[in-house]
Amino acid sequence: MSSSNPSMALAASAGVAGLAAGVILTLGALGPAGRAQVWRRVLSSAGLGGNTQLMQRLDPSKAIHREWLSKMKAFIFDIDGVVHVAGHAVPGSPEALAALNAAGKRVIYMTNNATVTPESIAATFEGFGAQAKPEQMMTSAIAAARYLKAQGLEGRKVYVIGMDSMAAELRLRAGVVTFGASEDANKGRPEVEAEFKSKPMDPPLEEVAAVVVGADYLVNYYKLARAANYLRQNPKCLFVATNPDPRAPLGKSAMIPAAGTLVQALATACGRQPTMMCGKPSKDLASYLLESEGLDPSTTCMVGDRTDTDIEFGRSVGMQTLWVESGSMTLDEVEAVGEGSQPHFVAPSIATLTSLLKQ
């Protein structure tokens, strides 16, 4: 530690020593991670913690948290598990969104759910009393379409493991020719044997420019086998995934497998990892959002229910981050990840933002 005033440096050192003495007896009972966290808190209390910001619970009674909210000019919200769960509003979310709008905050929505469109999201919001416009929405399907277009694949064939809504977005926004999706929903092992075992793939391997994988409620053995053959037999075929989410909330306690489950199954079968992961936590997508919307990361907050997608997405470009307990991860799981991957703030739900604005 350096200081222009030796007595101040000595006093600070003595303060650290005093704080350390207060916890030293506890350290022996903790594991390495626990001991490291205690020391970081000691240093932080002494003003020696550097730029490390420990995860804080948002508290409307604290002036520092109200001041933080006043400085935020924009919020990017994940949707599933944050605004609603299976089409039912998280309690207090419509009011929180309305309060942010009334306070002049920019509100944008970014979902890794590739089965929905901006129009369908806006309609769902309207159904539980929240107002939002399609132009406020970004989905992982739209991000995938932009990636395909950037690769110059207009007019090329793309195999889809996903819902028809995602295939439609790819055709609309990237100009590609899609096949698969619901067309292959009722096929199984007999069709795999008949179509792949002794005759060439149809369409031919060299004509398929990409395989795009997103959430697919009609996924089956045939789809995985067909996609795996295109990817394994043609190294030039792009492997595009919409997002890595392993699961999504369904109701108050149930979970369902999400797109990441299918991505990993296909990666195992074809022996390749995705060429591009288009949704959160893509840093490229985060940078694109900030630039296209004219946002400053220091006054923009990413709000989500997963650390490995939402929070990583925000932190990758220097945004503030808020994790809420209304979705698919528990607080224990969040506390178990490294501090560099933890959110800046936690709250039971986005309803806390309403309380902060009212104080």
Side-chain angles (χ1 to χ4, degrees), residues 73-357:
K73 296 181 179 179
F75 285 82
I76 301 175
F77 288 95
D78 177 43
I79 297 176
D80 298 287
V82 176
V83 178
H84 71 81
V85 176
H88 299 283
V90 170
S93 66
E95 293 80 3
L97 298 175
L100 289 171
N101 284 319
K105 310 293 185 183
R106 289 280 304 282
V107 176
I108 298 167
Y109 303 94
M110 172 65 218
T111 178
N112 272 355
N113 187 347
T115 71
V116 294
T117 65
E119 291 74 21
S120 69
I121 297 170
T124 298
F125 277 36
E126 186 176 357
F128 55 73
Q131 298 299 315
K133 299 177 181 179
E135 51 266 33
Q136 291 176 274
M137 312 296 177
M138 168 67 78
T139 74
S140 60
I142 294 174
R146 288 177 175 173
Y147 173 73
L148 295 178
K149 187 172 183 178
Q151 300 307 304
L153 300 189
E154 186 172 357
R156 301 289 302 280
K157 294 183 176 69
V158 172
Y159 185 68
V160 173
I161 293 181
M163 303 304 289
D164 285 345
S165 55
M166 182 176 80
E169 288 288 345
L170 300 181
R171 293 193 299 271
L172 174 66
R173 299 175 186 271
V176 295
V177 178
T178 64
F179 65 109
S182 64
E183 299 169 11
D184 291 343
N186 296 316
K187 299 177 181 179
R189 178 58 186 257
E191 286 80 9
V192 170
E193 291 276 354
E195 296 180 25
F196 306 157
K197 189 173 182 178
S198 58
K199 57 184 181 181
M201 300 281 290
D202 182 24
L205 295 168
E206 64 275 9
E207 292 184 10
V208 180
V211 169
V212 179
V213 186
D216 189 337
Y217 306 143
L218 304 173
V219 69
N220 55 34
Y221 184 81
Y222 178 91
K223 290 184 180 183
L224 289 172
R226 193 175 190 185
N229 275 282
Y230 281 125
L231 292 170
R232 188 166 180 82
Q233 296 188 54
N234 179 10
K236 293 182 179 180
C237 183
L238 300 177
F239 181 0
V240 181
T242 59
N243 60 286
D245 298 58
R247 68 191 74 88
L250 182 69
K252 292 184 178 180
S253 58
M255 297 288 172
I256 56 173
T261 303
L262 306 184
V263 171
Q264 289 306 309
L266 182 56
T268 300
C270 72
R272 291 173 54 184
Q273 290 299 312
T275 311
M276 173 59 71
M277 191 73 71
C278 292
K280 296 170 295 185
S282 168
K283 183 177 180 179
D284 289 340
L285 177 60
S287 297
Y288 170 81
L289 261 184
L290 291 174
E291 183 178 353
S292 63
E293 298 292 338
L295 303 177
D296 179 345
S298 68
T299 56
T300 300
C301 182
M302 177 68 213
V303 185
D305 67 330
R306 293 200 62 83
T307 57
D308 54 353
T309 53
D310 306 317
I311 303 308
E312 184 178 341
F313 180 76
R315 293 192 72 119
S316 71
V317 289
M319 296 185 210
Q320 291 287 289
T321 55
L322 168 63
W323 175 81
V324 289
E325 298 174 89
S326 52
S328 62
M329 286 186 77
T330 66
L331 182 59
D332 286 344
E333 289 174 322
V334 172
E335 290 178 336
V337 304
E339 287 190 1
S341 300
Q342 288 180 346
H344 297 91
F345 299 97
V346 302
S349 73
I350 64 172
T352 301
L353 298 174
T354 306
S355 301
L356 278 168
L357 285 167

